[in-house]
Amino acid sequence: MSNNEEINCGVAAILVAGGSAARFGRGSSPIPKQFELIGDLPMYQYVARTFSRIESVRKIILVGRDEDVQQMEAGTQKLNLPIECKVVSGGETRQESVSNGLDAIRKLSGIEIILVHDVARALVDEEVILRVIAAICDHGSAIAGVEVVDTLKRVIEGEITGTISRENLWRAQTPQGAKAELMFAAFDAAGKSGFQGTDESQLLERIGVPPRIVPGSDRNFKITYQSDLERARNEVSRSKQK
C-alpha cells in the first residue's frame, strides 16, 4: 500500500511524554521538556495536533507523569482537536508508560493499528506517520528510521577498539507500530518474562514479528539537550517563513 492511498484502518496513537528528561538539563530549564514551546504550543500539544490531522487516527492516548496529567488534560482540551485525546499516567520506565497507554486502548472497538511515538520527536510530519501506517497495513508492524551515514567507532574507556561497518545499519525513530493484536501480544510477552526493551520494535522482534523499516526524516530527531530544542525551534521558524 502506498502512503498516498486512502487508509481505512482505525489507528490509535500513544504519545509518550512521561520521561524525567534528566539529560535535558533541568537546572537550565525551569519547566519539564514536554512543556517547552515549539512554535506557539507546548511540545506535547504540538505533537498531538500533528497526529490529530491524520484522518485514520481515531484516538490519541497521551502518557504523562502523574503530576502532569491534570495540566495536560486542560491543555489538550484547549486545542479543540477533532478526535478524542485521553491523558493517562506513565510508569517508572518508558515501557511501563507505553503499557499504561495500551491499557487505555484494550477495550476500544474499531482500533486495528497502534502507533507509539515519543513526544520528544516533536517535528515528526504527516508523511512519516502515513508511511509507517501504510507499512503496518502491508506487513503487520513497522517503524520509521534513517540510514546511518557516519563512521561508527567502538570505544572503551576513551580508546577506539574497532570500526563498525555502517552497511545495513539504521537509526530507529518513532512512530513505531503494529496491528493491535501484535502490539498487545508483544507487551504481554515482555510483561510475563520481565523483559525490558529499548523500544517497541525490540518487543515485536522477540515474538517473531520483526517490523518493516520505512524512511523517517532528519527533522524527526529526538530533543534530548537544550541545543536540540533550539534546533527544533529554528526549524519551525524557518518553515513559517517559507
Side-chain angles (χ1 to χ4, degrees):
M1 175 184 291
S2 165
N3 58 289
N4 291 320
E5 296 179 23
E6 183 179 359
I7 299 173
N8 294 318
C9 296
V11 179
I14 298 173
L15 308 182
V16 186
S20 62
R23 285 174 290 179
F24 188 63
R26 184 63 56 82
S28 57
S29 177
I31 61 175
K33 176 172 61 177
Q34 52 268 33
F35 291 98
E36 291 280 4
L37 291 180
I38 299 292
D40 57 353
L41 291 174
M43 194 181 300
Y44 75 94
Q45 291 186 22
Y46 189 94
V47 177
R49 184 179 64 180
T50 299
F51 275 82
S52 74
R53 291 170 172 167
I54 305 296
E55 186 175 355
S56 57
V57 174
R58 312 285 167 76
K59 179 93 172 184
I60 292 174
I61 305 296
L62 183 63
V63 186
R65 301 183 306 168
D66 187 58
E67 60 266 39
D68 296 333
V69 167
Q70 188 173 1
Q71 184 176 353
M72 286 182 167
E73 286 177 337
T76 54
Q77 288 175 4
K78 290 179 181 178
L79 282 178
N80 292 318
L81 298 177
I83 59 175
E84 183 184 0
C85 180
K86 182 177 181 179
V87 184
V88 301
S89 296
E92 292 297 319
T93 66
R94 182 186 183 279
Q95 186 170 312
E96 289 176 8
S97 293
V98 175
S99 183
N100 289 355
L102 288 172
D103 286 342
I105 295 172
R106 286 185 186 270
K107 296 182 180 180
L108 294 181
S109 61
I111 299 301
E112 301 165 78
I113 287 174
I114 297 172
L115 298 180
V116 180
H117 183 71
D118 295 324
V119 163
R121 295 187 186 275
L123 301 191
V124 65
D125 58 41
E126 295 176 41
E127 289 186 4
V128 170
I129 299 169
L130 287 170
R131 278 198 290 268
V132 174
I133 295 173
I136 294 170
C137 288
D138 288 340
H139 302 283
S141 62
I143 74 170
V146 293
E147 292 187 80
V148 171
V149 296
D150 297 320
T151 297
L152 300 176
K153 300 292 184 180
R154 181 179 289 108
V155 178
I156 299 177
E157 295 182 352
E159 297 290 333
I160 294 175
T161 62
T163 299
I164 302 170
S165 172
R166 63 190 176 211
E167 186 177 2
N168 298 324
L169 291 183
W170 288 60
R171 290 187 288 114
Q173 298 183 334
T174 61
Q176 302 190 4
K179 292 185 177 178
E181 65 272 17
L182 296 178
M183 189 68 81
F184 289 135
F187 272 79
D188 289 345
K192 289 178 181 177
S193 65
F195 178 80
Q196 285 288 325
T198 57
D199 62 1
E200 290 67 50
S201 177
Q202 189 175 16
L203 302 192
L204 289 160
E205 292 162 36
R206 288 185 75 248
I207 64 167
V209 189
R212 189 83 170 181
I213 195 162
V214 300
S217 167
D218 288 334
R219 277 174 53 93
N220 189 24
F221 59 91
K222 190 173 184 179
I223 299 174
T224 305
Y225 302 104
Q226 285 285 337
S227 57
D228 299 324
L229 178 62
E230 293 306 314
R231 176 186 171 191
R233 287 171 169 168
N234 289 336
E235 291 269 4
V236 171
S237 179
R238 283 194 293 269
S239 296
K240 288 182 176 180
Q241 293 172 5
K242 290 181 181 180

